[in-house]
């Protein structure tokens, strides 16, 4: 009898194997013992003794003599320092603080702080990432220029992890399972012990937290925070996208309170032109609530006058205010098939800054005059 597997199961296993290629031992380009020691020390907060170094690198007792000689050599070469029979990394001189962006093929590029706009990012091969992941803040050392003239570097220390929670598909196994990240730029799978799996079923989309990032030879370990459901449904895909991009529908209490304190503008001062007598129309879907622009057309002696009016958000959102800072972080409103994540609280997006019928609203208007054949002859803003 042949046991059949679903297409999703075959897909999960294929991806699980391909992601784990980043954790194999003995592959081409495997770092030398000296490189492993340098990377280990670069991540240590305290000086490490030789015993600690051997323990962290899982080296046998028979390697003690070789490790001792290698440490002596590294000290002489000023690649590490020795203090009270313990070892520290060399100073940060020659290192640059950077943010790593990985590709789905396993290598990445580092953008160094203070980098000039016309400078190319630094290429980081998969063998020189030293455990860094997409979005991490790292210290890198410039190695050389590649054949294409781009500088190449090596991660020597991970300063701050970017990803601590992530979504993906859970692959059940005997002693737990692995999470395959939804983001192809994360070149690893996360081991989930059975006790931390929340009894998730194979092929289920989950939200997990990385509890330990592991080492080069041992991938991250984590725990499932929430079972999301079938990864092929629209609702779960939207939730995974929100988690991946750190999107949220809620606003901080400070922002909501500031929005509620705003009063609508109902009078027209000397710096504004009163266009309330000009009937405007909006062109939006039947369920739309945020009417941010409207148009009006009038016939004139020369032809036609077109009004294009856009809600004056700046009247309510002052520079540096809590609402302004939150809007800056969000950048834009995000539209899903049946969900909107607004850039501004609803008090603004659906009310004060929405050109709703029969309500006075401040706006910026462009007034354009055309002859009957369509040639523009006048513009006023």
């Amino acid at each position: 009898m042949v046991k059949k597997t679903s297409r999703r199961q075959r897909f999960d296993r294929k991806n699980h194997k391909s992601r784990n290629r980043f954790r194999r031992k003995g592959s081409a380009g495997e770092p030398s013992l000296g490189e492993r020691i340098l990377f280990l020390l670069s991540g240590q907060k305290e000086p490490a003794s030789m015993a600690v170094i051997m323990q962290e690198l899982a080296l046998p007792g028979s390697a003690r003599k070789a490790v001792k000689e290698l440490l002596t050599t590294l000290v002489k070469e000023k690649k590490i320092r020795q203090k009270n029979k313990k070892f520290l990394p060399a100073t940060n001189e020659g290192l640059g603080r950077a943010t790593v962006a990985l590709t789905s093929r396993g290598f990445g590029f580092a953008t160094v702080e203070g980098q000039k706009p016309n400078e190319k990012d630094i290429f980081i091969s998969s063998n020189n990432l030293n455990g860094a992941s997409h979005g991490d803040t790292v210290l890198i050392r410039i190695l050389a220029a590649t054949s294409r003239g781009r500088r190449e570097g090596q991660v020597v220390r991970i300063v701050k992890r970017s990803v601590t929670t992530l979504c993906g598909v859970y692959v059940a196994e005997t002693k737990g399972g692995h999470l395959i990240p939804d983001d192809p730029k994360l070149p690893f799978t996360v081991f989930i012990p059975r006790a931390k799996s929340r009894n998730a079923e194979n092929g289920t989309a989950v939200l997990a937290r990385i509890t330990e990032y592991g080492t080069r030879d041992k991938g991250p370990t984590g725990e499932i925070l929430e079972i999301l459901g079938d990864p092929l449904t629209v609702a779960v895909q939207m939730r995974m996208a929100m988690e991946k991009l750190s999107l949220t529908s809620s606003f901080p209490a400070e922002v909501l309170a500031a929005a509620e304190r705003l009063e609508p503008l109902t009078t027209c001062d000397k710096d504004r032109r009163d266009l309330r007598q000009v009937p405007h129309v909006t062109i939006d879907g039947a369920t739309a609530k945020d009417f941010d622009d409207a148009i009006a057309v009038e016939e004139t002696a020369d032809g036609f006058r077109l009004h294009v009016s856009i809600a004056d958000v700046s009247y309510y959102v002052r520079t540096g205010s809590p609402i302004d800072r939150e809007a800056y972080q969000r950048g834009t409103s995000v539209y899903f098939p049946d969900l909107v994540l607004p850039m501004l609280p609803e008090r603004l997006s659906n009310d004060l800054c929405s050109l709703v019928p029969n309500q006075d609203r401040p706006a910026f208007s462009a007034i354009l005059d055309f002859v009957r054949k369509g040639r523009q002859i006048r513009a006023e803003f």
Side-chain angles (χ1 to χ4, degrees), residues 276-350:
R276 287 176 288 187
Q277 76 283 1
V278 180
H280 281 65
V281 297
T282 60
I283 304 174
D284 290 279
T287 60
K289 296 180 180 179
D290 52 339
F291 307 116
D292 53 5
D293 60 85
I295 60 173
V297 178
E298 298 177 292
E299 190 171 10
T300 64
D302 297 323
F304 299 95
R305 172 167 292 174
L306 171 65
H307 298 261
V308 181
S309 299
I310 303 173
D312 181 6
V313 179
S314 63
Y315 175 79
Y316 295 106
V317 182
R318 302 299 182 179
T319 302
S321 66
I323 300 175
D324 178 57
R325 293 195 299 269
E326 180 68 16
Y328 180 83
Q329 291 296 324
R330 292 175 178 243
T332 184
S333 296
V334 179
Y335 294 85
F336 288 107
D338 58 357
L339 176 68
V340 178
L341 304 178
M343 183 176 68
L344 299 171
E346 285 193 7
R347 168 68 170 156
L348 288 161
S349 61
N350 292 359

Side-chain angles (χ1 to χ4, degrees), residues 204-369:
T204 302
V206 299
L207 171 65
R209 175 172 55 224
I210 296 177
T211 55
E212 181 184 350
Y213 250 93
T215 64
R216 180 184 178 90
D217 298 327
K218 180 184 177 183
T221 300
E223 61 179 349
I224 293 178
L225 301 177
E226 184 180 350
I227 297 175
L228 304 181
D230 185 347
L232 301 182
T233 62
V234 174
V236 172
Q237 283 292 318
M238 288 195 300
R239 175 65 187 283
M240 293 172 76
M242 290 174 63
E243 293 292 342
K244 175 182 175 181
L245 300 174
S246 300
L247 303 177
T248 178
S249 58
S250 61
F251 286 86
E254 178 188 27
V255 174
L256 293 175
E260 289 301 320
R261 289 194 295 268
L262 296 173
E263 295 291 337
L265 177 66
T266 57
T267 59
C268 194
D269 58 31
K270 62 179 182 178
D271 295 325
R272 292 184 181 272
R273 178 183 294 187
D274 193 345
L275 297 177
R276 287 176 288 187
Q277 76 283 1
V278 180
H280 281 65
V281 297
T282 60
I283 304 174
D284 290 279
T287 60
K289 296 180 180 179
D290 52 339
F291 307 116
D292 53 5
D293 60 85
I295 60 173
V297 178
E298 298 177 292
E299 190 171 10
T300 64
D302 297 323
F304 299 95
R305 172 167 292 174
L306 171 65
H307 298 261
V308 181
S309 299
I310 303 173
D312 181 6
V313 179
S314 63
Y315 175 79
Y316 295 106
V317 182
R318 302 299 182 179
T319 302
S321 66
I323 300 175
D324 178 57
R325 293 195 299 269
E326 180 68 16
Y328 180 83
Q329 291 296 324
R330 292 175 178 243
T332 184
S333 296
V334 179
Y335 294 85
F336 288 107
D338 58 357
L339 176 68
V340 178
L341 304 178
M343 183 176 68
L344 299 171
E346 285 193 7
R347 168 68 170 156
L348 288 161
S349 61
N350 292 359
D351 186 6
L352 297 180
C353 295
S354 182
L355 305 180
V356 294
N358 304 315
Q359 296 292 331
D360 297 338
R361 292 291 183 262
F364 288 109
S365 295
I367 303 174
L368 311 173
D369 289 336

Side-chain angles (χ1 to χ4, degrees), residues 152-212:
E152 184 172 355
Q154 178 186 47
V155 174
V156 298
R157 186 181 308 171
I158 298 170
V159 178
K160 183 180 179 181
R161 291 289 188 182
S162 172
V163 177
T164 54
T165 60
L166 70 166
C167 289
V169 175
Y170 179 72
V171 180
E173 297 171 350
T174 305
K175 297 182 179 180
H178 278 83
L179 178 143
I180 301 175
D182 181 53
D183 189 345
K185 293 181 179 179
L186 299 179
F188 53 73
T189 61
V190 181
F191 173 67
I192 307 293
R194 179 180 293 276
K196 302 293 184 179
S197 69
R198 292 182 177 265
N199 296 319
E201 296 182 359
N202 184 63
T204 302
V206 299
L207 171 65
R209 175 172 55 224
I210 296 177
T211 55
E212 181 184 350

Side-chain angles (χ1 to χ4, degrees), residues 15-244:
N15 278 273
H16 178 40
K17 291 178 181 178
S18 66
R19 294 293 180 94
N20 280 335
R21 73 183 187 274
F22 295 99
R23 298 210 306 267
R24 291 177 183 166
K25 298 181 180 180
S27 59
E30 185 75 15
S32 66
L33 178 57
E35 290 174 329
R36 294 174 65 194
I37 291 175
L38 288 174
F39 181 67
L40 172 66
L41 292 178
S42 69
Q44 294 288 111
K45 295 181 179 179
E46 301 291 338
S49 64
M50 187 171 71
V52 169
I53 292 173
M54 293 185 64
Q55 180 180 355
E56 290 293 325
L57 297 180
L59 298 174
S62 58
R64 182 178 180 84
K65 182 179 179 181
V67 172
K68 184 176 181 180
E69 292 176 351
L70 184 54
L71 289 171
T72 301
T73 300
L74 292 174
V75 170
K76 289 181 179 179
E77 293 176 350
K78 297 184 178 180
K79 293 182 178 179
I80 62 174
R81 295 175 291 155
Q82 185 174 6
K83 183 178 181 181
N84 298 328
K85 296 185 179 181
K86 293 185 177 182
F87 300 91
L88 304 86
T91 63
N92 289 341
E93 184 178 354
L95 302 182
R97 187 182 175 102
T99 302
V100 175
L102 296 191
T103 69
S104 58
R105 296 171 61 185
F107 58 83
F109 297 91
T111 303
V112 180
E113 292 183 359
Q115 181 173 306
K116 296 179 181 179
N118 60 342
E119 283 186 318
K120 291 183 177 180
D121 292 339
I122 297 169
F123 174 76
I124 310 289
S125 70
S126 58
N127 291 323
N128 284 327
L129 285 170
N130 287 324
S133 188
H134 183 67
D136 286 352
T137 302
V138 300
L139 290 180
I140 65 169
R141 177 179 288 111
I142 307 300
L143 299 177
T146 65
S147 58
R148 297 184 179 181
R150 184 188 290 272
R151 292 177 299 169
E152 184 172 355
Q154 178 186 47
V155 174
V156 298
R157 186 181 308 171
I158 298 170
V159 178
K160 183 180 179 181
R161 291 289 188 182
S162 172
V163 177
T164 54
T165 60
L166 70 166
C167 289
V169 175
Y170 179 72
V171 180
E173 297 171 350
T174 305
K175 297 182 179 180
H178 278 83
L179 178 143
I180 301 175
D182 181 53
D183 189 345
K185 293 181 179 179
L186 299 179
F188 53 73
T189 61
V190 181
F191 173 67
I192 307 293
R194 179 180 293 276
K196 302 293 184 179
S197 69
R198 292 182 177 265
N199 296 319
E201 296 182 359
N202 184 63
T204 302
V206 299
L207 171 65
R209 175 172 55 224
I210 296 177
T211 55
E212 181 184 350
Y213 250 93
T215 64
R216 180 184 178 90
D217 298 327
K218 180 184 177 183
T221 300
E223 61 179 349
I224 293 178
L225 301 177
E226 184 180 350
I227 297 175
L228 304 181
D230 185 347
L232 301 182
T233 62
V234 174
V236 172
Q237 283 292 318
M238 288 195 300
R239 175 65 187 283
M240 293 172 76
M242 290 174 63
E243 293 292 342
K244 175 182 175 181

